[in-house]
Every structure is written in structure tokens, then in C-alpha cells.
């Protein structure tokens, strides 16, 4: 798109390779494409994201690993301060992407050293159930500070774009996420877990209350089926909630813990139905990945999920386990409908969530800034 090479640094994510959430997946997919186009990309990573010896490069993206405090309120700010110091002392990016609204305190310091700043946000982060009162207050104030001071803001959903425009008075660049798709060979993970392709339901994500896994378990327990429900994920900050989830007596429900890379792709590309019961969400790369693999999807009927699936999936009444059970029961054995949903899902993702076009948008934004 442009002949000018741009130096970009990304701060505030957990790092690469992507093991955690949508922002990490997006940094991976966009970063590698920017590198292929001749730009320089640097991502700051938290030490716990990769075991030692930690890689210094991923798909052409340079990586810097630094310590953090693995506590939900201190993890990001502590690591961001260290990343900021390292960047100003040793690096020379032209554009710095700050992941999440809580990172905006770095903006004036970066401007002092001539860096252009882009806040990368996913809506009202302060409404997430994991945050206490002080964290909610801080995140909202930080978002408002970023609105006034950042050179640009990127939102990943039309709803977040509308919120920042109407409620905070700042126009943003709406740039969605995309899927994470790769060629799947073999069935080692399926065999290890005792699963059969096309015969199980799947959820992948953090096991926190806002992801709605409790609704999925409650709905599935009432289904009369021999099929299994596979739940992939974990969370270090909610051990009591996870113990409660795992207290189910339904032997058809399988918890795998975290699965990345080949194992993740093998499970999601072979599931019968992918269920996204989240109460709080942006544009979910995991959901888009399931759709890109041609899986039928059933989602919690929040606006963000509905926007993501368009007319290529099924939704249930917001946070209603009984309606989720009904929706699953309607399609669970309907082969024709499942196949049709899968075909529509593939076309919907191809038409609306292409990583090359997403990278075009970021590249054009960076070019306008420098």
C-alpha cells in the first residue's frame, strides 16, 4: 500500500505467540502481515507468556520479554511501565499502539519523545465483572484521558465505535478482528481426549463469569444426547469459579485446560457446534475462527455477538440457559441445517473479516500519522 517503511511498537498485550485473547491474536495476524510489507513491528511480552528460553522473534515480529506482577490489577500497568522505559531507552518506533483503555497514562510521555500514539480499545472495558470499583473508575477515567490525548483510537466493533463517538465525543477508526485459520492435519488431540470429529460441542475462552460458561453447562446438562461438551480454557484469577464449574456431575462435559496451536485448531475445526455464551465481548477471533472453519455457531444474544455473526449463526436470549438449551436441541441432530449454517459462516467471514483488508486499514492509519 505504501513504499514508506514504518516502525511500530505494540504495548499492553500479553505477548506473542498468542495464548490469551483477541488482541494477542490480532497483533500476531496484523504484525506478520506488516512485516511482510516491509514495516518493522515490535511487541512487548510478559515473561509468563512463554517459557525460557523466550523467543526474540515471531513470524518476523521482534519480541521483548519483561517481568510483570501476575495479579489482575497490577499485571498490565507494571509491565507497561517497564515496557515504556525499555522503549524510550533502547527503541525508536514512530507509532506506538497502546492496547486497552487503561494504558493511556503513557500517552503524554510518548508524545514528549515524538511518538505517535494509537489507543486500541474494545468498548466499555470498565463494565467487565472481573474489575472492582477502583479499577472500574480508573479504566473509565483512563478512557476519557485517552480520548482527549491520543493521536488515534481503533475500535473493533461498530458498537464500540458508536459509543466513543456518541458518549465520549471522539471519532474512532473501526477496524475489526479476523479469524485464526491454519491447515489442520492429523487427529492426535481428538484421539487423546477420546473425541470423534463432528460429534461434540465446543467452547474456548477464559473461564470467568462474563464468558457465560455457567449458562452453557446448565443448558447442556438438560440436553438428552450422547454427544460431549468440550470446554477449553482456564483463568488464574478465578479458581473458585472454575471449581464451581467443574463440580458438575455430567460425565459428558470435558474440561481440557488451556490448548493452543495445533490442539486448538484441531478441536475447533472438528466440532459439531461452537457455542459462544459470553455476556461481554468484542469481535471475537475465536468465534470468527469457528465460522471460518465452517462450524455452526450459537451465541449469546448480546449486540456484539449478533454483529459478528450477522445472519450466519443462531442466537439465544441474553444469558438465558433455557433458551440456549432450546436452540441447541433444535439443531443438534439437524444435519442439513448444521451444514447450511457452516456454509453461510464461511462466506460471512470471507466477506467481512479478511486479515489482508484489516492490515490495509492499519497500514493506512499509520501512514496518515507519520
Amino acid at each position: 500500500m505504501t513504499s514508506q517503511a514504518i516502525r511500530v511498537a505494540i504495548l499492553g498485550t500479553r505477548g506473542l505467540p498468542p495464548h490469551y485473547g483477541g488482541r494477542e491474536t490480532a497483533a500476531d495476524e496484523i504484525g506478520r502481515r506488516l512485516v511482510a510489507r516491509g514495516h518493522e513491528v515490535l511487541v512487548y511480552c510478559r515473561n509468563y507468556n512463554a517459557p525460557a528460553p523466550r523467543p526474540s522473534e515471531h513470524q518476523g515480529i521482534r519480541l521483548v520479554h519483561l517481568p510483570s506482577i501476575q495479579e489482575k490489577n497490577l499485571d498490565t500497568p507494571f509491565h507497561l511501565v517497564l515496557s515504556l522505559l525499555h522503549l524510550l531507552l533502547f527503541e525508536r518506533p514512530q507509532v506506538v499502539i497502546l492496547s486497552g483503555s487503561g494504558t493511556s497514562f503513557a500517552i503524554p510521555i510518548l508524545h514528549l519523545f515524538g511518538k505517535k500514539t494509537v489507543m486500541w480499545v474494545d468498548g466499555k472495558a470498565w463494565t467487565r465483572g472481573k474489575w472492582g470499583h477502583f479499577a472500574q473508575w480508573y479504566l473509565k477515567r483512563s478512557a476519557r484521558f485517552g480520548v482527549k490525548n491520543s493521536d488515534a483510537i481503533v475500535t473493533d466493533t461498530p458498537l464500540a465505535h458508536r459509543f466513543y463517538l456518541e458518549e465520549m465525543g471522539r471519532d474512532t477508526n473501526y477496524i475489526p478482528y479476523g479469524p485464526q485459520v491454519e491447515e489442520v492435519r492429523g487427529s492426535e488431540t481428538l484421539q487423546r481426549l477420546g473425541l470423534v470429529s463432528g460429534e461434540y460441542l465446543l467452547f474456548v475462552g477464559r473461564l470467568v463469569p462474563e464468558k457465560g460458561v455457567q449458562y452453557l453447562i446448565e443448558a447442556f446438562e438438560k440436553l438428552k444426547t450422547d454427544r460431549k461438551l468440550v470446554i477449553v480454557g482456564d483463568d488464574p484469577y478465578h479458581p473458585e469459579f472454575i471449581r464451581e464449574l467443574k463440580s458438575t456431575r455430567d460425565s459428558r462435559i470435558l474440561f481440557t485446560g488451556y490448548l493452543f496451536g495445533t490442539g486448538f485448531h484441531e478441536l475447533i475445526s472438528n466440532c459439531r457446534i461452537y457455542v459462544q455464551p459470553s455476556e461481554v465481548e468484542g469481535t471475537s477471533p475465536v468465534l470468527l475462527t469457528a465460522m471460518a472453519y465452517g462450524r455452526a455457531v450459537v451465541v449469546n444474544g448480546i449486540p456484539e455477538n449478533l454483529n459478528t455473526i450477522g445472519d450466519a449463526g443462531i442466537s439465544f436470549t441474553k444469558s438465558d440457559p433455557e433458551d440456549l438449551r432450546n436452540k441447541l436441541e433444535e439443531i443438534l441432530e439437524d444435519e442439513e441445517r448444521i451444514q447450511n449454517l457452516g456454509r453461510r459462516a464461511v462466506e460471512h467471514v470471507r466477506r467481512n473479516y479478511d486479515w489482508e483488508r484489516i492490515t490495509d486499514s492499519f497500514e493506512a492509519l499509520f501512514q496518515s500519522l507519520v
Side-chain angles (χ1 to χ4, degrees):
M1 175 176 287
T2 173
S3 59
Q4 180 181 355
I6 299 171
R7 300 184 301 275
V8 180
I10 302 177
L11 280 67
T13 69
R14 284 158 182 81
L16 301 179
H19 292 324
Y20 193 80
R23 200 68 54 76
E24 286 74 21
T25 297
D28 177 23
E29 296 285 348
I30 296 163
R32 68 173 75 175
R33 286 170 172 81
L34 288 172
V35 168
R37 298 179 187 194
H39 306 292
E40 297 179 28
V41 180
L42 168 66
V43 173
Y44 280 89
C45 311
R46 304 177 201 191
N47 279 347
Y48 64 74
N49 190 68
R54 299 177 181 91
S56 60
E57 182 265 354
H58 171 76
Q59 301 285 344
I61 304 166
R62 288 180 52 227
L63 307 180
V64 172
H65 291 84
L66 295 170
S68 67
I69 299 175
Q70 205 167 351
E71 193 277 331
K72 68 177 180 179
N73 292 310
L74 299 175
D75 190 7
T76 295
F78 182 84
H79 185 263
L80 183 63
V81 169
L82 294 184
S83 302
L84 190 61
L85 289 171
H86 184 280
L87 182 148
L88 296 175
L89 287 172
F90 302 110
E91 304 294 342
R92 54 188 189 92
Q94 298 160 284
V95 178
V96 177
I97 299 176
L98 296 166
S99 176
S101 57
T103 60
S104 68
F105 69 83
I107 292 173
I109 302 170
L110 291 165
H111 284 172
L112 187 64
F113 286 83
K115 314 300 181 186
K116 296 295 184 180
T117 56
V118 178
M119 270 184 61
W120 199 8
V121 297
D122 56 359
K124 297 180 280 187
W126 52 89
T127 64
R128 295 178 180 263
K130 66 178 179 178
W131 301 122
H133 293 301
F134 175 77
Q136 291 176 353
W137 172 85
Y138 169 76
L139 288 170
K140 191 169 185 178
R141 290 294 298 268
S142 182
R144 292 191 180 280
F145 183 79
V147 160
K148 294 179 180 179
N149 294 283
S150 63
D151 294 302
I153 298 177
V154 172
T155 48
D156 72 316
T157 70
L159 296 159
H161 173 81
R162 190 179 312 124
F163 170 79
Y164 273 85
L165 180 62
E166 296 177 355
E167 301 296 326
M168 292 196 171
R170 177 71 185 265
D171 196 11
T172 68
N173 297 269
Y174 161 57
I175 309 177
Y177 295 158
Q180 189 182 25
V181 176
E182 62 182 45
E183 185 179 358
V184 177
R185 297 177 178 176
S187 56
E188 292 84 357
T189 304
L190 293 182
Q191 292 176 25
R192 178 171 58 82
L193 297 174
L195 300 173
V196 177
S197 178
E199 296 296 320
Y200 58 92
L201 289 73
L202 179 68
F203 165 82
V204 179
R206 287 180 296 133
L207 300 188
V208 295
E210 68 191 33
K211 289 296 183 180
V213 187
Q214 64 274 26
Y215 306 129
L216 175 55
I217 290 175
E218 183 179 342
F220 185 79
E221 287 174 333
K222 298 176 182 177
L223 279 178
K224 295 179 180 179
T225 180
D226 293 329
R227 302 186 190 280
K228 294 182 178 181
L229 168 63
V230 181
I231 297 175
V232 176
D234 207 331
D235 190 86
Y237 305 129
H238 293 82
E240 292 184 6
F241 177 70
I242 293 173
R243 280 196 295 271
E244 183 179 339
L245 294 178
K246 292 183 177 180
S247 68
T248 178
R249 297 181 180 179
D250 195 325
S251 61
R252 301 170 300 169
I253 300 177
L254 174 64
F255 293 87
T256 71
Y258 286 125
L259 273 178
F260 305 114
T262 301
F264 161 76
H265 288 282
E266 193 179 316
L267 281 186
I268 200 165
S269 64
N270 284 283
C271 70
R272 184 174 185 81
I273 300 170
Y274 182 79
V275 186
Q276 178 92 315
S278 308
E279 294 181 300
V280 180
E281 198 59 74
T283 302
S284 167
V286 176
L287 176 59
L288 290 173
T289 299
M291 297 176 72
Y293 278 126
R295 302 301 93 192
V297 297
V298 178
V299 303
N300 199 341
I302 60 172
E304 292 83 356
N305 284 338
L306 297 177
N307 178 77
T308 300
I309 66 172
D311 63 353
I314 294 173
S315 66
F316 63 94
T317 303
K318 182 181 176 181
S319 306
D320 184 343
E322 186 60 25
D323 193 46
L324 173 55
R325 184 193 68 79
N326 290 336
K327 293 299 194 298
L328 291 174
E329 193 170 58
E330 287 175 9
I331 69 167
L332 192 58
E333 304 303 330
D334 191 336
E335 296 290 344
E336 182 178 352
R337 193 173 180 193
I338 284 178
Q339 293 298 320
N340 183 50
L341 285 168
R343 287 190 293 270
R344 286 160 53 189
V346 170
E347 178 56 33
H348 179 72
V349 172
R350 184 181 296 123
R351 188 170 57 247
N352 296 288
Y353 298 99
D354 176 72
W355 278 118
E356 292 295 336
R357 291 198 296 269
I358 291 167
T359 305
D360 289 344
S361 298
F362 272 96
E363 192 176 29
L365 172 60
F366 300 153
Q367 180 66 27
S368 71
L369 292 176
V370 303

